[in-house]
Amino acid sequence: MIALALCLAVAAPARADSIAVQRASLQSDGGGWSLDARFDFELNNSLEDAVNKGIPLYFTTDFELTRARWYWFDEQPVSVTQTIRLSFQPLTREYRVSTGGLQLGFASLAEALAVIKHVTSWHVIDRGQVAQGETYTASVRMQLDTALMPKPFQVDAVNNRDWTLASDWKRFNFTVAERAK
């Protein structure tokens, strides 16, 4: 029995690294609402080596807004995604964080990751997508998106748990305030 317990303890599956959602909230931005979220994670040695060798990493943040309905499937008025690319330029010895047309350079990996870990002022909900006075469930998560990596690394990522980095969905209630008349 003791030998079996020791074998099971040694053979326990390795836990993949994860991203923790520290906080998430919605802020009114005039035309709707923007997401402010903080994530906490560290790159393992394999991911850090990959970035330092010039392989870009893509972090995808997903946001969904749903409203429960008793008579049909839940309504999902909002489902948006944002991808941030982390890369290293060996000639300039600079880490770059890019999203859309914006690209920022950083002297260290820690500085670049600090930007990726804090999603701020991301417009996710237009006023016309939600009804006043209704309560919705907002959900947010972040993950390392291996599908956007170069093809040879996608194959390795499928077979290697070092390339798995994701958070669970963080859910919170969001009630649309009535406008003052």
Side-chain angles (χ1 to χ4, degrees), residues 146-166:
T146 56
L148 296 174
M149 295 175 63
K151 295 291 182 199
F153 296 100
Q154 288 181 21
V155 173
D156 187 44
V158 169
N159 298 321
N160 190 342
R161 293 184 59 82
D162 285 348
W163 293 89
T164 303
L165 189 62

Side-chain angles (χ1 to χ4, degrees), residues 4 9 12 16 34-35 42 50 55 62 66 87 98 124 161 166 168 173 177:
L4 180 61
S34 294
L35 177 69
E42 298 298 323
I55 300 165
D62 300 312
T66 57
S87 60
S98 3
V124 291
R161 293 184 59 82
D168 292 329
N173 289 332

Side-chain angles (χ1 to χ4, degrees), residues 3-31:
L4 180 61
L6 286 174
C7 288
L8 290 176
V10 171
R15 188 183 73 75
D17 291 328
S18 66
I19 298 174
V21 184
Q22 290 183 323
R23 67 178 173 84
S25 63
L26 292 168
Q27 312 297 326
S28 179
D29 65 7

